[in-house]
Amino acid sequence: MVSLITTRELLRGLCCSQRKWKQQRGRDGSQKRSPLDMIMNQIRRKTSFTERRKPSVGRFFRSSESSEKKNADITETKETEINEGRNSRGTGTESNETDTELGSVVGWGRIKQFVQKLGKTPDSQSLNLSHCDLTATDLVELGTLLPFLAQLEVMDLSWNDLLGGSLQVLAVHLQHVGKLKTLKMSGCRLTAQDLSALGEALDSVPMLEILDLSWNAGAGGGNLHYLTSHFSSASALRELHLVDCQLSEADAMSVGELLLLLPCLEVLDLSSNQLVVRGMEDVASCLGSTPHLRSLKLRMCRLDHGSLTVLGEKLKLNPALEHLDLSCNKECGGGFSAVAISLPLLTHLKCLDIHSCCLTEEDVLVLAQAIPSLGELTDLDLSSNKGAGAVLQTLLHDLPLSKMKRLHLSDCGLSHEAYHALATSMQSLTQLESLTLSWNKSVGKNLQWLLEPLQAGCKLQELRLSSCDLMTEDMLHIESACKRGALLQLKILDLSYNSSVSDGGWVSLFGEASGLKELREMDISLRPTTSLSASPWLPALLDALPQLPSLCHLALKRWALTPGEWEKLQKAISQRNVGLEWDEVAMPGSR
């Protein structure tokens, strides 16, 4: 009660002082603040925002409130202060987000400027800087840009041979592109130091699936372990390409040790490396650790009979294999039976490439015994095996003809029996898309056998008949196939080096150009030692060009044209943006 009286007396005194102050201010026009205002401001400074929302005078009449109510007020005040703090922090977060967004915009602008000055198109997920003559300085700048490429999945720096020895400045920034799945650095002259830097950065790109270091001689010579020693069993790598890296026996051992850590590997390409027997043993002995391997490429690895024996014993451990490339191993001839023994176990095999392997008749006969087990085979390349042509008919009959898409038999020395067997199979080759028979003289004068079974709807897209001794009558059969729509899907036609075709034969071919609407490439060049005039059939070609809307490449090497004819041809193809392959030769008989 005493407290209440004291408070009332205090308020009366303040009110009197306030009236006197107003009277005084009215007389002298002063802008000074009243005593009451100053006291109330002091009270406001010492109270929270919640308390200031309450009537100021009312607080002086609540001295008897329970402690419970006071505690509630204190709690409310604290909660309000906490919320104010949160709001303040929220404002800071929004500011940070704004700064981040602004930084990203600026960063993307830098990326666009960097990529476009190299003549490339910027893409936040795929960075293709191949063939850009990048320098070590460019690599430093690229490293500073990686923080703005968090979504990057593909990076291709191939064929920048000035990057060798400077990869460290980029590798330290790979932590910013943790989603990277493909890294290609072919032909960059990488050194042992680069391999080590890349290996140390592998943990930063745990999602890496494709690694291509082909055509880096520095990756071989015993240096490969600087990279492979950093791999772990948790690697997600699916493809490893080490083409022409001059791998030594020590490197082959490193590859073998690496295979033990790559259970997800699907593609292994070691082409153009001299894998002698010991090296082949180190690699082949570990192939069983890659149960998902689909593609094994050992092209031009100087494999011999011993290497084939080692490989043949281990191939059975990879039943999922779909693509096997042993091409251009000329020392394999006569020893292919070591591999053929395992082929029947590769029931998923779709592509077998053994061109230029000097196969013997015995090799072909052994292969023919394995072919019936390869029910999924769609692609077979036996080109440049001249010793195989005499007995190929034994193999052709057992192919899964209805599934074959590509059959390459160029320069095989096809006998008439083998060619006739192929011709009789054409009706069953309903899915065939690519057929190459170049350099087989048995085709000339007999093209009718091959083309007559082809009907409208044929899926053939590539037909190569270079240097087949074709005659005019063969051109007439191509004309007939065009008329009945059998070549409507053809995209590539190679009739080069067939100088025995008369002018009338070329005229008849061009006369049915409407049956080649999908044709993109055509080659009718002559041999380098031959020269003939194109004048008799050039008008027919000029008339045919508007009927070939898809044509983008035309080869007419060693055909002679007059200046006027050349001008007409240039005008016709320039309007169509067709690439012309032609070498200027003098008209026959002119001086």
Side-chain angles (χ1 to χ4, degrees), residues 164-165 167 185-196 198 211-229 231 240-255 258 269-273 275:
L167 189 58
M185 300 193 69
S186 301
C188 289
R189 294 190 180 181
L190 300 183
T191 64
Q193 181 182 359
D194 296 325
L195 295 179
S196 180
L198 180 57
L211 179 61
D212 191 347
L213 302 179
S214 299
W215 292 286
N216 283 291
N223 293 330
L224 193 60
H225 73 278
Y226 288 112
L227 171 68
T228 59
S229 60
F231 276 86
L240 178 61
H241 302 266
L242 297 172
V243 178
D244 197 10
C245 286
Q246 297 187 18
L247 301 183
S248 63
E249 286 189 23
D251 298 315
M253 183 179 297
S254 297
V255 172
L258 178 59
D269 192 349
L270 301 177
S271 298
S272 300
N273 290 289
L275 298 177

Side-chain angles (χ1 to χ4, degrees), residues 288-303:
S289 300
T290 57
H292 301 291
L293 191 67
R294 295 186 298 102
S295 178
L296 178 60
K297 300 180 181 180
L298 299 172
R299 181 180 182 273
M300 203 181 297
C301 286
R302 296 194 67 177
L303 302 182

Side-chain angles (χ1 to χ4, degrees), residues 402-419:
S402 61
K403 294 184 178 181
M404 294 299 298
K405 293 183 178 181
R406 285 169 290 277
L407 186 58
H408 296 181
L409 301 173
S410 295
D411 197 20
C412 279
L414 281 181
S415 64
H416 286 281
E417 293 78 8
Y419 178 70

Side-chain angles (χ1 to χ4, degrees), residues 173-473:
H173 295 285
L174 289 180
Q175 59 181 319
H176 299 294
V177 288
K179 295 183 179 181
L180 192 68
K181 294 182 179 180
T182 300
L183 178 59
K184 297 181 178 181
M185 300 193 69
S186 301
C188 289
R189 294 190 180 181
L190 300 183
T191 64
Q193 181 182 359
D194 296 325
L195 295 179
S196 180
L198 180 57
E200 292 173 359
L202 285 176
D203 289 339
S204 302
V205 284
M207 301 175 66
L208 190 65
E209 297 180 351
I210 301 175
L211 179 61
D212 191 347
L213 302 179
S214 299
W215 292 286
N216 283 291
N223 293 330
L224 193 60
H225 73 278
Y226 288 112
L227 171 68
T228 59
S229 60
H230 293 280
F231 276 86
S232 69
S233 57
S235 174
L237 201 67
R238 293 191 299 105
E239 295 188 19
L240 178 61
H241 302 266
L242 297 172
V243 178
D244 197 10
C245 286
Q246 297 187 18
L247 301 183
S248 63
E249 286 189 23
D251 298 315
M253 183 179 297
S254 297
V255 172
E257 294 172 351
L258 178 59
L259 293 180
L260 299 175
L261 303 174
L262 302 178
C264 298
L265 193 68
E266 296 180 4
V267 177
L268 177 62
D269 192 349
L270 301 177
S271 298
S272 300
N273 290 289
Q274 297 183 18
L275 298 177
V276 294
V277 177
R278 180 61 184 275
M280 194 69 251
E281 287 178 351
D282 291 329
V283 174
S285 62
C286 299
L287 288 177
S289 300
T290 57
H292 301 291
L293 191 67
R294 295 186 298 102
S295 178
L296 178 60
K297 300 180 181 180
L298 299 172
R299 181 180 182 273
M300 203 181 297
C301 286
R302 296 194 67 177
L303 302 182
D304 55 16
H305 292 192
S307 302
L308 290 182
T309 300
V310 172
L311 180 62
E313 293 175 353
K314 302 301 180 181
L315 278 180
K316 62 184 70 174
L317 301 176
N318 297 97
L321 201 64
E322 297 179 2
H323 186 158
L324 179 60
D325 185 354
L326 302 176
S327 62
C328 300
N329 287 290
K330 296 185 177 181
E331 298 179 24
C332 287
F336 193 73
S337 58
V339 172
I341 293 175
S342 297
L343 288 182
L345 301 176
L346 305 180
T347 55
H348 296 285
L349 195 66
K350 295 181 179 180
C351 176
L352 179 60
D353 189 348
I354 47 178
H355 78 269
S356 298
C357 283
C358 296
L359 298 184
T360 64
E361 292 185 7
E362 182 182 354
D363 292 326
V364 175
L365 293 175
V366 172
L367 178 61
Q369 295 176 10
I371 286 295
S373 301
L374 305 180
E376 298 298 318
L377 195 67
T378 61
D379 189 336
L380 178 62
D381 192 344
L382 297 174
S383 299
S384 300
N385 287 294
K386 293 183 178 180
V391 293
L392 271 180
Q393 63 271 22
T394 61
L395 180 147
L396 292 172
H397 289 303
D398 292 322
L399 287 173
L401 300 176
S402 61
K403 294 184 178 181
M404 294 299 298
K405 293 183 178 181
R406 285 169 290 277
L407 186 58
H408 296 181
L409 301 173
S410 295
D411 197 20
C412 279
L414 281 181
S415 64
H416 286 281
E417 293 78 8
Y419 178 70
H420 184 71
L422 173 62
T424 56
S425 301
M426 288 302 294
Q427 195 166 5
S428 301
L429 292 167
T430 54
Q431 302 300 314
L432 195 65
E433 297 176 358
S434 175
L435 178 63
T436 64
L437 297 174
S438 298
W439 303 91
N440 286 295
K441 308 305 179 184
S442 58
V443 179
K445 296 183 181 180
N446 298 310
L447 193 58
Q448 177 183 4
W449 298 352
L450 197 72
L451 297 181
E452 276 191 347
L454 304 182
Q455 299 299 324
C458 174
K459 297 184 178 182
L460 196 63
Q461 298 180 18
E462 179 181 14
L463 180 60
R464 296 188 181 274
L465 301 172
S466 176
S467 190
C468 284
D469 279 353
L470 298 183
M471 307 297 287
T472 301
E473 60 189 273

